[in-house]
């Protein structure tokens, strides 16, 4: 937590811990605030990977269109305020503390979790700041996620893969059913899933809800831009804007798919909220979403920060690195939470790397910390690995080995956020009063 930012224990002194299923606590908190989530229209975005990128893209286009836009995402990288943004900036401390004070009695009475209280806080801040539209990312799952109290104008579900199996189910079909729980009667649904049982489950959920269901057409002419100005360009067709030649300053072909899904969602907004063609082009061209194949040059080293925290995310990172061809040596700094499938995550990335250091993200919850020594013992016969539990020393080791080449920091938001902090890289603009 940066200086001047209220810590969550200061905003809400007595919060429940862990995950509690159900929407009743969030609804009770919002009732105490006068139902702020009903004060503005919203876009609801769920899925396994890419939902934060799609949310950031939607928000930036809407802001470019002149709408006062709220963006609620999770988790944060360096500063809690990153989760609650208005017009592209994390909100100032006083914007949160006033709303939080109005929740204290309800928090004491209801005993919500951290995420439930934070969700109510975000919706209250957005109403207090009189936003024109909110963009809301699902936290965990969908059906019983605290954000699922909203009735949005548009719903997006990016994709479904195995993650959070201890909460959502052990098969992609189980997880898809949870993700489909954000579908609302009559609300248009867009997805970038294209085939298989997951798509069938999403389509069936939309049919039962009477919600128009749209599957994203494959994007065309996807091109990776130069490493020095990493990004992706592509082409798509739209009913509202015709043929679109678009680019996003985010690396990887998957970001073309995310951007196209964002455009489709925005196209489905009511006419009075739908952005003009130029807002779509300019907004996507200027979107910023740190920690997603984020490239930073420091000295002679290219740093790549990516919050990949599941098998599908790590496969996408490896594919993107192969595509952009960063300078060698490629040295990985990996810090993964203990409940993740590191055995499925690491080999693909390590196979295209020259060396790796496994470390402990300092902000990782104690009950979720992995055991890098055991991981190294299991993988060492195949890969060049070293373990350094001290995060600062591990980061310095990677910087030394990657001098003139590429340092890849990945495994979780905790790992990327800690590295950005250690290196003095600010992921988002300084919060200003809104």
């Amino acid at each position: 937590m940066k200086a001047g930012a209220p810590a969550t224990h200061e905003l809400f002194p007595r919060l429940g811990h862990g995950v509690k299923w159900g929407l009743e606590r969030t609804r009770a908190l919002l009732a105490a605030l006068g139902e702020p989530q009903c004060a503005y229209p919203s876009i609801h975005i769920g899925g396994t990977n890419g939902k934060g990128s799609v949310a950031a893209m939607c928000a930036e286009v809407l802001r470019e269109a002149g709408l006062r836009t709220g963006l609620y995402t999770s988790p944060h990288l360096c500063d809690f305020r990153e989760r609650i943004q208005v017009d592209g900036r994390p909100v100032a401390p006083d914007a949160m503390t006033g709303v939080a004070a109005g929740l204290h009695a309800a928090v004491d009475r209801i005993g919500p979790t951290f995420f439930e209280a934070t969700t109510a806080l975000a919706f209250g801040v957005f109403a207090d700041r009189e936003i024109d539209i909110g963009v809301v990312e699902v936290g965990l799952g969908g059906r019983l996620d605290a954000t699922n109290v909203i009735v949005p104008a548009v719903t997006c579900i990016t994709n479904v893969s195995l993650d959070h199996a201890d909460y959502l189910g052990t098969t992609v079909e189980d997880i898809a059913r949870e993700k489909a729980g954000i579908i609302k009667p009559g609300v248009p649904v867009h997805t970038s899933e294209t085939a298989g049982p997951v798509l069938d489950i999403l389509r069936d959920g939309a049919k039962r809800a009477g919600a128009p269901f749209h599957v994203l057409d494959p994007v065309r002419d996807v091109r990776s831009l130069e490493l020095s100005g990493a990004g992706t360009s592509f082409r798509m067709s739209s009913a509202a804007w015709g043929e679109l030649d678009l680019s996003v300053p985010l690396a990887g072909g998957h970001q073309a798919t995310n951007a196209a899904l964002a455009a489709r969602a925005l196209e489905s907004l009511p006419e009075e909220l739908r952005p003009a063609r130029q807002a779509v082009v300019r907004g996507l061209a200027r979107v910023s979403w740190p920690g997603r194949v984020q490239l930073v040059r420091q000295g002679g080293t290219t740093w790549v920060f990516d919050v990949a925290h599941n098998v599908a995310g790590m496969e996408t990172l490896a594919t993107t690195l192969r595509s952009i061809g960063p300078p060698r040596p490629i040295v990985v700094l990996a810090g993964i939470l203990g409940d993740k499938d590191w055995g499925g995550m690491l080999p693909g990335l390590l196979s295209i790397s020259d060396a790796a250091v496994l470390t402990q993200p300092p902000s990782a919850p104690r009950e979720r910390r992995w055991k890098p020594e055991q991981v190294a013992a299991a993988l060492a016969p195949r890969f060049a690995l070293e373990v350094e539990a001290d995060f600062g020393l591990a980061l310095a080791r990677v910087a030394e080995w990657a001098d003139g080449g590429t340092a890849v920091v990945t495994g979780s938001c905790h790992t990327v956020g800690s590295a950005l902090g250690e290196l003095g890289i600010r992921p988002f603009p300084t919060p200003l009063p809104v």
Side-chain angles (χ1 to χ4, degrees):
M1 190 65 61
K2 302 298 183 184
T8 52
H9 70 267
E10 295 171 343
L11 291 169
F12 304 112
R14 289 175 289 278
L15 282 178
H17 298 285
V19 174
K20 297 179 183 178
W21 291 124
L23 303 179
E24 63 277 3
R25 288 174 300 277
T26 306
R27 289 194 173 113
L29 291 174
L30 291 168
L33 288 179
E35 308 293 353
Q37 77 281 9
C38 299
Y40 46 83
S42 57
I43 299 174
H44 203 193
I45 302 171
T48 300
N49 292 316
K51 59 185 184 291
S53 295
V54 174
M57 291 169 182
C58 286
E60 191 60 35
V61 171
L62 291 165
R63 188 164 75 96
E64 180 68 28
L67 296 175
R68 189 166 175 82
T69 304
L71 174 63
Y72 178 49
T73 61
S74 61
H76 60 271
L77 293 173
C78 300
D79 186 327
F80 172 75
R81 290 173 295 188
E82 297 167 15
R83 296 170 179 246
I84 307 171
Q85 300 188 27
V86 173
D87 281 348
R89 287 187 179 273
V91 297
D94 61 353
M96 288 194 292
T97 53
V99 176
L103 281 168
H104 282 172
V107 166
D108 289 347
R109 183 178 74 256
I110 297 162
T113 65
F114 162 79
F115 188 70
E116 290 167 340
T118 300
T119 299
L121 173 67
F123 295 165
V125 168
F126 290 161
D128 200 42
R129 301 295 105 180
E130 298 182 340
I131 65 169
D132 297 313
I133 188 167
V135 182
V136 178
E137 178 193 8
V138 171
L140 177 63
R143 181 176 63 95
L144 298 174
D145 183 76
T147 65
N148 203 29
V149 295
I150 64 174
V151 179
V154 183
T155 298
C156 283
I157 299 175
T158 56
N159 52 66
V160 178
S161 60
L162 287 173
D163 197 15
H164 300 294
D166 47 345
Y167 293 115
L168 303 181
T170 56
T171 69
V172 290
E173 291 84 1
D174 290 338
I175 295 172
R177 292 183 189 95
E178 291 297 320
K179 304 286 186 185
I182 67 171
I183 296 172
K184 302 293 193 305
V187 177
V189 184
H190 293 267
T191 184
S192 49
E193 280 285 351
T194 56
V198 167
L199 184 62
D200 293 339
I201 289 167
L202 299 181
R203 182 182 283 111
D204 182 63
K207 182 178 180 180
R208 284 186 284 106
F213 186 70
H214 307 279
V215 179
L216 182 69
D217 295 327
V219 294
R220 310 191 309 273
D221 301 331
V222 179
R223 299 182 300 277
S224 294
L225 307 182
E226 295 297 320
L227 181 64
S228 58
T232 308
S233 66
F234 66 99
R235 181 175 295 170
M236 66 177 289
S237 300
S238 72
W241 308 298
E243 280 291 306
L244 292 170
D245 287 298
L246 300 170
S247 64
V248 289
L250 301 170
H254 61 292
Q255 294 293 9
T257 297
N258 288 336
L261 186 63
R264 282 279 181 259
L266 296 167
E267 189 179 23
S268 287
L269 285 172
E271 189 173 352
E272 65 274 15
L273 294 171
R274 190 183 306 140
R277 176 191 181 93
Q278 279 302 101
V280 176
V281 175
R282 291 174 181 170
L284 289 176
R286 60 185 280 180
V287 69
S288 174
W289 193 231
R292 281 72 180 177
V293 196
Q294 178 186 359
L295 288 95
V296 177
R297 294 277 296 180
Q298 277 199 354
T301 302
T302 299
W303 289 85
V304 180
F305 303 96
D306 193 87
V307 298
H309 58 278
N310 53 41
V311 174
M314 202 66 84
E315 288 174 350
T316 297
L317 172 58
T319 297
T320 304
L321 290 173
R322 282 192 292 266
S323 172
I324 63 179
R328 289 195 176 270
I330 297 175
V331 184
V332 171
L333 177 68
I336 299 173
L337 297 181
D339 52 3
K340 299 296 181 177
D341 180 13
W342 54 263
M345 292 169 63
L346 285 174
L349 179 62
L350 297 180
S351 67
I352 63 169
S353 306
D354 299 294
V357 178
L358 309 184
T359 191
Q360 195 69 257
S363 63
R366 289 199 171 275
E367 68 276 9
R368 298 185 68 192
R369 295 194 169 189
W370 73 331
K371 298 178 180 178
E373 297 84 359
Q374 293 183 7
V375 176
L379 297 177
R382 289 182 285 162
F383 305 107
L385 295 172
E386 182 171 310
V387 174
E388 175 50 70
D390 183 280
F391 189 84
L393 294 177
L395 191 65
R397 188 83 44 86
V398 168
E400 178 185 356
W401 289 356
D403 186 30
T406 303
V408 180
V409 180
T410 190
S412 77
C413 286
H414 296 282
T415 306
V416 170
S418 295
L420 291 173
E422 289 270 351
L423 295 169
I425 300 170
R426 187 188 297 275
F428 290 97
T430 303
L432 293 175
V434 269

